[in-house]
Amino acid sequence: MSRSEASQGGALLEAVGVGKRFGGLRALHDVSLALGEGTITGLIGPNGAGKTTFFNVLTGIYKPDTGTVHFAGAPLPAGRPHAVAERGIARTFQNIRLFPNMTVLENVMVGRHVRTQAGVLGAVFKTAATRREEAAIAASARGLLDYVGIAGQAQRVAGTLSYGDQRRLEIARALATEPRLLALDEPAAGMNAAERMRLADLVRRVRDDGTAILLIEHDVKWVARLCDRITVLDYGERIAEGSPQEVLAHPKVIEAYLGRGAA
Amino acid sequence: MNARARFINWGAAVLVLVLPFATHALLGQGWVRILDFALLYVLLALGLNIVVGYAGLLDLGYVAFFAVGAYCYALLASPQFELHWPLWALLPMGALLAACFGVLLGTPTLGLRGDYLAIVTLGFGEIIRIFLNNLNAPVNITNGPQGVNLIDPLHVGPWFLEQTYHVGGIEIPLVINVYFLFLAAVGLAIRLSQRLEGSRIGRAWAAIREDELAAASMGLNTRNLKLLAFAMGATFGGVSGGLFAGFQGFVSPESFTLQESVMILCMVVLGGMGNIAGVVLGAVLLSVLPEALRGLGGLQEFLFGKVWVDPSNLRLLVFGIALVLMMLLRPEGLLPARARQREFHESQ
């Protein structure tokens, strides 16, 4: 379903022919990807395939050298991450990037920044509107902590949380920006099987509540069970795209993962 | 705990009210003057704390904003241009002008962090000072190295600060009048800092300090927020500069050297970056300590019967040693902010 939607131009995100070089290294070459609302899309590939580079293009951290990215019908502001977040793409990071010395609650409250108003004057005079907004920010942040299942940790310092809880906190912080697309960079890295199951449940719940998901992951089985569509990158190029079954049976994918001859 | 906090607050309030009178009676005018300057330094340190403590941007040229405020006051309230603006217009004007200079400094430094940023801000501070030193030709604006003289004394409405007032038999001379004016400014600055720190903007600054890329990815316009931090921090410097000019009656470029910037930064770091009480304590200590150390000559005479080491050299040595020891023993500052303390003790 998502395929037909995408090809009919109803795609939420549509990247066409994206290329990115770092000096002599061709990190991405002619990569295209389309995903629709209400879907979970996986981005897989061997180490160094360009997955995170592609993520950084999609979230405005890098400007692509070639190609275009459209989000919700309009071109994405390239090279301006805060503007991308404002447009409705939120992300997590492969090497968790929380605000480690702030509390768990404050981390999520920062995520509300982009959807709230109060400026210097409001802060200085502590107007009724500012106080109401602060209360609303705290309330929705608490709600999100509850949503991802770490409400009990609200007052702890973010850097002291367990690894799995830090990943959950990153998701809560990203959700606080009210994204239409949530991009997760290796959300299951370092998790055991039980934690992965719970994470998959959370990801599905986020999708069901109306946010499309794009995720990078190494665990092919886990991705195949979770995703509607999968795109495979290798050496900065897209080598396959389709449903999990199609992609995993694709000879180029098997070759990329297992080496030539295995196919 | 709550009762204790209230006790401390009341104690501090009584102390700052009684302090100038007690100092005047026991130690004389000169020491009250030192307290007045200490309050100006508190104002400066609180302003720099917004930039360094809250937003995490290292600024080594902060004295430039002090200079802008001082010269703004000096040029608009002196015979230099035959202008005599009132205080209520001069201070906001100085704050606004300093904020503009804050944005001017911030704009080229947006992509820089840490040591690179420090070097650019250092250069900025020097450029402002050199400009003030040389803006006497071809058109004389600042009077160059001679500085601006005969600046209008401070007066607030009908209250002329240079007059000695008598209230209930207690004599209130200039230095004590000024003390209370400066105290009011410091009180306001503390309130502003508290409000900013606990606001949406303060949280955004903290996020940028912790991880700029993550902050940007959460939708924070890091460019505007950093410029805002520079501008807000600069306003405190501008007001402090205005008060300084009115109190001294004279300004010249040599009051605004790099050493002053470094000193203000020391106050923030030694007191405890990001924590208002720490910054106030740091500013008071570092502005009073060098003066108190002038007593080293008398102390030597008392202990050994003669002066062995020139006290003016010795006091800088002792001051330097105190700073080094302090940073070795308590790198997070005297009264650190919660977040800073965590940074320094994470590994333990």
Side-chain angles (χ1 to χ4, degrees), chain B residues 15-47:
Chain B
L15 182 73
V16 295
L17 290 181
V18 173
L19 189 65
F21 297 103
T23 312
H24 191 235
L26 297 172
L27 298 164
Q29 289 253 359
W31 270 96
V32 184
R33 213 181 147 75
I34 291 168
L35 290 182
D36 294 343
F37 277 106
L39 287 174
L40 289 183
Y41 275 116
V42 169
L43 211 48
L44 288 170
L46 285 170

Side-chain angles (χ1 to χ4, degrees), chain A residues 61 81-82 85 91 93 97 99-102 109-110 113 116-118 120 123-126 134 137 157 173 177, chain B residues 192 195 199-201 203-204 206-207 210-211 213-221 228 232 338-339 342-343 346:
Chain A
I61 292 173
H82 75 90
R91 70 171 293 175
F93 295 87
R97 297 187 81 139
F99 308 121
N101 297 302
M102 296 169 81
M109 287 172 81
V110 170
H113 185 94
T116 46
Q117 314 282 331
V120 168
V124 165
F125 295 110
K126 221 171 183 181
E134 274 295 300
I137 290 172
V157 176
R173 184 181 66 176
T177 66
Chain B
L192 276 172
R195 291 252 165 112
S199 72
R200 169 174 172 268
I201 301 291
R203 215 164 32 235
E210 294 267 298
D211 189 329
L213 181 68
S217 295
M218 291 305 118
L220 271 57
N221 187 330
L228 186 62
M232 285 306 299
R338 251 180 342 138
R342 279 176 221 136
E343 263 167 57
E346 233 155 45

Side-chain angles (χ1 to χ4, degrees), chain B:
Chain B
M1 193 61 205
N2 214 344
R4 197 179 143 222
R6 208 173 307 143
F7 178 76
I8 290 174
N9 279 341
W10 277 105
V14 171
L15 182 73
V16 295
L17 290 181
V18 173
L19 189 65
F21 297 103
T23 312
H24 191 235
L26 297 172
L27 298 164
Q29 289 253 359
W31 270 96
V32 184
R33 213 181 147 75
I34 291 168
L35 290 182
D36 294 343
F37 277 106
L39 287 174
L40 289 183
Y41 275 116
V42 169
L43 211 48
L44 288 170
L46 285 170
L48 184 60
N49 182 48
I50 291 179
V51 183
V52 178
Y54 293 168
L57 303 161
L58 189 49
D59 184 351
L60 274 180
Y62 186 73
V63 80
F65 308 125
F66 185 53
V68 166
Y71 268 88
C72 174
Y73 190 108
L75 296 177
L76 296 177
S78 73
Q80 177 79 356
F81 295 120
E82 289 304 335
L83 291 170
H84 298 281
W85 288 29
L87 187 74
W88 61 262
L90 284 168
L91 290 186
M93 183 72 196
L96 191 71
L97 198 64
C100 294
F101 273 84
V103 173
L104 199 66
L105 161 67
T107 309
T109 64
L110 285 168
L112 306 174
R113 278 192 83 77
D115 24 14
Y116 301 99
L117 175 61
I119 288 169
V120 175
T121 55
L122 186 155
F124 176 80
E126 287 298 285
I127 286 170
I128 296 289
R129 187 178 62 80
I130 291 166
F131 254 96
L132 294 173
N133 209 28
N134 292 298
L135 275 180
N136 54 349
V139 184
N140 185 10
I141 299 173
T142 64
N143 236 7
Q146 275 116 49
V148 181
N149 227 324
L150 297 172
I151 298 169
D152 298 352
L154 294 163
H155 68 98
V156 186
W159 189 38
F160 283 85
L161 271 60
E162 78 271 27
Q163 271 179 28
T164 300
Y165 290 84
H166 293 273
V167 179
I170 301 173
E171 188 187 326
I172 309 180
L174 163 72
V175 284
I176 295 185
N177 286 325
V178 166
Y179 177 90
F180 284 107
L181 175 65
F182 291 3
L183 189 65
V186 165
L188 195 66
I190 289 177
R191 198 89 191 104
L192 276 172
S193 297
Q194 285 171 335
R195 291 252 165 112
L196 282 174
E197 188 184 356
S199 72
R200 169 174 172 268
I201 301 291
R203 215 164 32 235
W205 284 336
I208 291 173
R209 184 187 70 214
E210 294 267 298
D211 189 329
E212 193 170 338
L213 181 68
S217 295
M218 291 305 118
L220 271 57
N221 187 330
T222 54
R223 181 196 63 197
N224 290 359
L225 284 161
K226 283 194 213 172
L227 288 180
L228 186 62
F230 275 119
M232 285 306 299
T235 58
F236 289 32
V239 170
S240 185
L243 294 173
F244 171 76
F247 182 35
Q248 287 276 82
F250 166 72
V251 296
S252 77
E254 66 185 32
S255 302
F256 311 107
T257 56
L258 172 63
Q259 194 187 339
E260 289 294 312
S261 289
V262 172
M263 201 61 172
I264 303 164
L265 186 65
C266 281
M267 290 167 178
V268 174
V269 174
L270 186 126
M273 268 189 269
N275 184 28
I276 294 168
V279 168
V280 171
L281 182 67
V284 171
L285 273 184
L286 287 199
S287 50
V288 171
L289 192 63
E291 301 301 326
L293 288 176
R294 285 181 200 277
L296 281 174
L299 184 70
Q300 285 180 60
E301 215 154 7
F302 175 75
L303 288 177
F304 313 115
K306 71 179 271 205
V307 179
W308 286 92
V309 189
D310 176 15
S312 60
N313 289 335
L314 187 61
R315 106 192 149 96
L316 290 180
L317 177 68
V318 171
F319 185 66
I321 291 175
L323 282 186
V324 171
L325 282 181
M326 181 61 215
M327 286 293 97
L328 284 175
L329 298 175
R330 252 185 109 77
E332 72 270 39
L334 289 169
L335 298 173
R338 251 180 342 138
R340 293 284 164 183
Q341 207 160 15
R342 279 176 221 136
E343 263 167 57
F344 278 99
H345 296 286
E346 233 155 45
S347 51
Q348 290 161 27

